Amino acid sequence: MTALLVRLSARLAKILAGTVLAIAVFLLGAFFQVRGALPPYSGHLETRGLKAPVEIVRDSNAIPHIIAGSIEDAAFGLGYVHAQDRFWQMELMRRLGQGRLSELLPPRLLGGRLVDGDRTMRGLGLYRRANDSLNALSPGIRSMLDAYAAGVNAWIGDPDQQFGPELMVIKLVTGGAYRPEPWQPADSLVWAKLMALGLDGNWRAELLRLRLARKIGPDGVKFLIESASDNRDATLAMAVEAARGIDLDQLYRLTDTIATRKREASNEWVLSAARSVSGRPLLANDPHLGLSFPGTWYLARLVGPGFDIRGATSPGTPGIVLGHNGRIGWGFTTTNLDSQDLFIERVDPTDPNRYITPDGARPFVVREETINVLWGDPVTLRVRETRHGPVIDDFIRRADDPSPQGHVLALQATALDGADTSAEGFGRLGLAQNWEEFLAAARKIVSPMQNIVYADTAGNIGLISPAKVPMRRKGDGSMPVPGWTSEFDWAGFVPFDDLPRLYNPAGGIIVNANAQLVPDTYRHFISRDWAEPYRQRRASQLLREVERHPVYGMIVMQADNRTLDADDMLPALLKGAPRNPRAAKAHELLRSWNRFMLASRPEPLIYTAWIWELQRGLLADELGEELFDSLAAPNVPLMLRIIREQPGWCDDGGTRQIETCEDAIALALDRALDWIARRQGPVVESWQWGREHQAAHRHPMFDMVPLLRDLASVRFPSDGGAQTLNRAQPAYRGSRPFEAVHGAGYRGIYDLSDLDNSRFAMPLGQSGNMLSPWARNFVERWQTLRYIEIAGTRAELGRTAVGTITLAPPTR
């Protein structure tokens, strides 16, 4: 009874805290409206850090056109507008990278995971390594970072500045102690480190495979991950045995943060002059990341002597990340490079402060981190490092715990390189004027590896996938390997000239959607974790159906909703006879379905729920619920392999009878239809995909507060699915498993015949202030495919501008 009362009291406290928070924010919101706390888009400010005046003209969509006398002053202006519109987002991002979120937010109120995330970031030393990377950059890029930081600080340094509801709540819960710290250049670099950690994020996949091996044995793991190399086989059983003393389940759970989750989806294609209506190249790109409010991207234009760069920026960083510069256009997809390896280090049995290397015992490098916790005691973290990198199981160990005997896990990753020049490379892409300068910029990129497509006004197209790609002495990096010998060490990196590259291919088409980049004959190992091929196949199919494409054809392609995985999966699903009238109706609908994932139709819902339940039926009893949760997203190639090669997995171990794969498929359909009927009623024809498949742009602080959810977050019914070009990946977990949580946050189409005719789209808006009219102004345009242009002379912009700010150096 006492335990029950404790749980009820905790639940009540959480509800009351949420209610108090909601009321506080509403009152603050009313206060902001009265005080006019939305940032002004017109005015004049004299501030230090500029060489000459900067004019910021907000066009009719509140997109800033930053007119400056130098690229450094343009970066200053970009820092200023980012801070105006998105500072709270920037603050949470840098605190995430610093491992300092627990200082600002009450961990229990927001799910109890903040301290775990801070432990992981501090353990990895991400911010320290970002700070070290500053020394590897050229003076030109350093000056841009310094100017950007000065621009941010010009806005946040105003003692009367209002920072919006989020930071006012933080100030409230910290008892008034919170005040933004000055922005530093390393704060910008940590964004790139966070992206690299996630986009090349393989180490937690290795950890998962080690957990799976404990449960189903090495042969089961090799089947699940489709063995790509024989070198791993001899080490898998040994790896399981060596890691026996490590709590792998807890380590996997507690390192599951927004920064360490693997993200792998985007689309891009580029057409040569011969394949476009205009007679000049067309380039289309839509990067896919987690959906959120505000979004990842922010549109801007930087204009000055010798530069006119337009496209998507990321608040917290200077420069245009994706876009065009008047001469060239470029776009990214993630390669899924395996640049992160776990090494099993053997602790010296005679001295727990040392570990074994090929040259004998060596002392761990040890550092201590103190994490300050709002409304709690500080947490001390003791982290050891080996010659490979930080010991990750230290992230979950108390500082006063005795060092374990036996083995520990250390992480080597290019994202943790302290001499990382990636910011140099990505920053210079937007300044390149031709293919040679573009390659010179790409040569500086360390991590993350991106497939970067290119087009220029001279009619050239290309692709380069730059990064430091590890060359392993043995193995493919898919499982943890021994670290006490040099057998599996990295022997260097693939030479830049050997990296995947295309330039003016004969067919006039380059397309990538994260699927396999290189043929099997490519001599270097890049990855075994390619995305499923369906989006890439669909894009290639559509591009080859038409000889010459217009700009609007690219828009239609980006919104394409045909899911090719159903072509592979439906024959297996529909092979057996339906076992009841409702199943017969589902069969009838899916047999005539055109494979388009439309929000208004029942077929996408039936299909998705069916394969989701089938994967659960095939794997959950084999793996257990916790392990299955990491593999809940339906994997059509895997399910088809199980049906064809491992039909024993179709049997439900929880029943006495032996189920065949036909039984498993029929039972999965029944469970799926029951689930839908409970939510949408018994009339199958009235079911709609969009009622379950809402694009969920969640506010990271307020989405869990009932009174604020609809005000702070943005949700709308969405076409598409996990394998459509219009990607809208469901969560496959929780009470709303088909809510779309991952997809395009930006779309760009660059017309190299007339770059003013290029098109841009975002699903939400420029502002991160939920009270702003510019926070959601793109939603309807996004849903109706009405992209915008970022163009116009200064005079043209002035006629429709919503405001103009002039920044100038002090007059005295």
Side-chain angles (χ1 to χ4, degrees):
M1 179 61 74
T2 301
L4 177 61
L5 289 174
V6 169
R7 287 197 298 271
L8 288 173
S9 299
R11 185 180 181 87
L12 180 60
K14 186 173 181 178
I15 292 170
L16 289 174
T19 303
V20 170
L21 180 61
I23 293 170
V25 173
F26 272 124
L27 291 174
L28 287 168
F31 175 75
F32 294 151
Q33 293 286 42
V34 172
R35 286 287 302 272
L38 295 176
Y41 287 168
S42 295
H44 177 83
L45 176 69
E46 293 187 359
T47 181
R48 298 183 184 280
L50 287 170
K51 301 176 183 177
V54 172
E55 193 173 33
I56 302 170
V57 183
R58 298 274 188 163
D59 68 18
S60 59
N61 293 301
I63 296 168
H65 297 242
I66 301 169
I67 304 167
S70 66
I71 193 67
E72 291 82 9
D73 279 356
F76 183 105
L78 185 62
Y80 189 84
V81 297
H82 277 171
Q84 275 195 309
D85 285 333
R86 301 282 190 93
F87 181 69
W88 74 265
Q89 179 188 30
M90 296 163 60
E91 176 73 309
L92 294 191
M93 180 274 294
R94 72 164 163 177
R95 292 278 183 154
L96 172 65
Q98 291 171 340
R100 296 176 58 204
L101 277 174
S102 299
E103 296 178 12
L104 301 185
L105 298 168
R108 293 189 181 280
L109 181 64
L110 297 180
R113 298 300 309 280
L114 291 183
V115 174
D116 297 336
D118 284 351
R119 291 175 72 100
T120 299
M121 292 299 103
R122 293 288 191 93
L124 293 172
L126 207 66
Y127 192 80
R128 294 188 307 106
R129 298 173 206 273
N131 203 50
D132 291 345
S133 295
L134 285 169
N135 298 321
L137 303 179
S138 69
I141 294 297
R142 278 295 304 268
S143 65
M144 285 184 64
L145 287 164
D146 290 340
Y148 179 86
V152 174
N153 292 329
W155 191 78
I156 68 173
D158 181 350
D160 297 322
Q161 194 62 266
Q162 301 292 335
F163 293 105
E166 295 80 7
L167 296 187
M168 288 300 292
V169 167
I170 286 174
K171 188 169 185 177
L172 180 67
V173 299
T174 58
Y178 171 74
R179 177 74 190 175
E181 297 171 359
W183 195 264
Q184 303 292 338
D187 298 340
S188 296
L189 293 188
V190 83
W191 177 85
K193 292 287 190 186
L194 288 167
M195 292 294 283
L197 197 65
L199 293 173
D200 283 355
N202 156 267
W203 69 272
R204 292 189 74 253
E206 292 186 39
L207 196 56
L208 175 61
R209 290 166 191 155
L210 203 54
R211 295 172 65 216
L212 287 167
R214 280 185 177 177
K215 181 72 176 181
I216 60 175
D219 290 340
V221 174
K222 285 185 283 185
F223 176 77
L224 283 179
I225 68 173
E226 288 188 299
S227 175
S229 167
D230 290 333
N231 288 333
R232 183 186 63 255
D233 298 351
T235 68
L236 185 51
M238 181 280 304
V240 174
E241 179 62 31
R244 188 172 297 279
I246 300 170
D247 190 339
L248 299 178
D249 292 337
Q250 185 186 25
L251 181 58
Y252 190 83
R253 282 195 303 271
L254 298 188
T255 57
D256 179 20
T257 73
I258 190 172
T260 57
R261 291 172 195 151
K262 179 100 173 132
R263 303 181 288 270
E264 64 174 21
S266 298
N267 302 323
E268 66 183 8
W269 52 86
V270 59
L271 302 175
S272 71
R275 305 291 306 216
S276 77
V277 169
S278 71
R280 281 290 183 268
L282 284 173
L283 190 154
N285 181 215
D286 54 300
H288 306 165
L289 294 168
L291 303 182
S292 63
F293 177 88
T296 300
W297 305 106
Y298 179 95
L299 300 177
R301 179 184 183 186
L302 309 181
V303 184
F307 62 92
D308 185 353
I309 317 172
R310 316 174 200 183
T313 70
S314 183
T317 62
I320 305 292
V321 181
L322 302 162
H324 73 78
N325 67 8
R327 296 292 297 275
I328 72 167
W330 70 99
F332 299 161
T333 63
T334 292
T335 313
N336 292 314
L337 171 67
D338 185 344
S339 64
Q340 302 175 1
D341 282 354
L342 290 178
F343 286 86
I344 304 170
E345 308 283 17
R346 180 175 288 167
V347 179
D348 186 343
T350 66
D351 183 354
N353 297 311
R354 301 168 72 86
Y355 67 102
I356 304 301
T357 78
D359 303 317
R362 186 183 298 184
F364 290 103
V365 175
V366 181
R367 56 186 164 86
E368 282 201 354
E369 303 275 352
T370 300
I371 301 168
N372 294 317
V373 180
L374 182 68
W375 302 348
D377 295 328
V379 173
T380 302
L381 185 67
R382 178 177 179 270
V383 183
R384 294 166 293 175
E385 297 210 15
T386 74
R387 65 193 184 96
H388 293 114
V391 173
I392 64 168
D393 35 318
D394 282 350
F395 302 174
I396 64 172
R397 187 175 291 114
R398 295 198 316 271
D400 58 353
D401 277 357
S403 298
Q405 302 297 315
H407 300 85
V408 294
L409 286 171
L411 171 65
Q412 183 168 13
T414 58
L416 302 181
D417 187 348
D420 186 356
T421 55
S422 299
E424 179 98 20
F426 286 117
R428 293 201 177 279
L429 290 179
L431 301 175
Q433 299 294 299
N434 52 51
W435 177 244
E436 289 72 25
E437 292 180 10
F438 196 74
L439 289 181
R443 191 179 288 271
K444 294 286 188 180
I445 295 172
V446 173
S447 179
M449 190 178 197
Q450 299 287 286
N451 308 313
I452 309 178
V453 288
Y454 166 97
D456 63 35
T457 54
N460 302 300
I461 66 172
L463 174 145
I464 179 68
S465 299
K468 279 191 172 180
V469 177
M471 298 174 67
R472 298 170 176 85
R473 290 198 170 103
K474 184 178 178 181
D476 66 3
S478 61
M479 284 290 294
V481 292
W484 57 86
T485 76
S486 60
E487 186 180 8
F488 295 91
D489 281 358
W490 293 2
F493 300 96
V494 174
F496 183 81
D497 291 338
D498 286 356
L499 294 173
R501 182 188 306 188
L502 289 169
Y503 189 62
N504 291 331
I509 296 175
I510 301 172
V511 59
N512 183 266
N514 313 108
Q516 187 162 341
L517 175 68
V518 292
D520 292 339
T521 54
Y522 182 69
R523 55 184 241 157
H524 300 292
F525 178 78
I526 292 178
S527 177
R528 58 164 340 283
D529 294 325
W530 308 111
E532 293 171 58
Y534 302 112
R535 286 180 295 112
Q536 193 157 306
R537 188 182 300 168
R538 178 61 172 165
S540 182
Q541 180 186 91
L542 291 172
L543 290 170
R544 285 168 171 77
E545 283 180 355
V546 178
E547 185 173 345
R548 289 179 177 268
H549 292 264
V551 168
Y552 190 73
M554 304 294 93
I555 293 175
V556 172
M557 277 188 62
Q558 289 183 331
D560 183 77
N561 291 305
R562 197 177 195 282
T563 188
L564 294 189
D565 62 303
D567 292 347
D568 289 351
M569 193 70 205
L570 281 176
L573 296 180
L574 301 175
K575 182 179 179 181
R579 299 185 178 185
N580 55 64
R582 192 176 58 174
K585 183 62 180 177
H587 275 240
E588 177 189 342
L589 286 169
L590 292 179
R591 284 190 191 281
S592 60
W593 180 36
N594 61 9
R595 317 297 202 258
F596 281 85
M597 302 286 286
L598 301 180
S600 61
R601 295 295 306 171
E603 295 92 344
L605 178 56
I606 296 169
Y607 172 69
T608 305
W610 194 352
I611 61 174
W612 177 57
E613 286 289 357
L614 179 59
Q615 181 139 318
R616 175 176 293 280
L618 296 177
L619 296 182
D621 67 326
E622 300 284 342
L623 306 180
E625 283 296 327
E626 185 174 2
L627 275 171
F628 170 74
D629 189 57
S630 301
L631 297 170
N635 183 322
V636 166
L638 174 61
M639 285 188 280
L640 290 174
R641 284 197 306 115
I642 290 173
I643 291 168
R644 293 165 185 163
E645 302 173 28
Q646 291 280 4
W649 286 29
C650 293
D651 179 44
D652 182 352
T655 65
R656 291 186 176 182
Q657 63 269 31
I658 297 177
E659 288 85 6
T660 66
C661 289
E662 186 174 318
D663 294 328
I665 291 168
L667 290 168
L669 177 58
D670 286 342
R671 293 194 302 273
L673 298 178
D674 285 343
W675 184 90
I676 301 169
R678 287 195 297 272
R679 299 170 72 93
Q680 298 198 19
V683 182
V684 175
E685 294 87 342
S686 71
W687 295 348
Q688 292 185 358
W689 176 227
R691 289 170 64 184
E692 307 299 336
H693 191 244
Q694 300 256 324
H697 301 265
R698 297 172 179 161
H699 191 292
M701 288 174 60
F702 299 152
D703 188 70
M704 61 202 68
V705 182
L707 294 176
L708 284 180
R709 181 178 297 122
D710 292 340
L711 176 64
S713 300
V714 180
R715 287 177 169 85
F716 50 81
S718 177
D719 295 332
Q723 302 299 339
T724 55
L725 289 176
N726 177 26
R727 182 176 171 92
Q729 167 88 39
Y732 298 118
R733 62 174 64 186
S735 61
R736 292 178 283 188
F738 301 139
E739 192 169 69
V741 296
H742 190 278
Y746 165 75
R747 290 173 177 161
I749 298 167
Y750 316 130
D751 180 356
L752 276 297
S753 72
D754 176 10
L755 283 165
D756 281 350
N757 189 44
S758 298
R759 308 300 171 87
F760 306 84
M762 295 198 310
L764 300 182
Q766 290 285 92
S767 178
N769 190 315
M770 62 189 186
L771 304 173
S772 170
W774 309 110
R776 298 167 175 80
N777 58 301
F778 290 144
V779 171
E780 185 181 356
R781 282 182 169 274
W782 180 264
Q783 293 175 298
T784 56
L785 305 183
R786 290 184 294 135
Y787 290 27
I788 65 168
E789 298 172 0
I790 303 177
T793 64
R794 172 64 185 86
E796 291 168 340
L797 291 169
R799 287 194 285 271
T800 58
V802 298
T804 300
I805 291 177
T806 302
L807 306 175
T811 54
R812 52 180 179 159

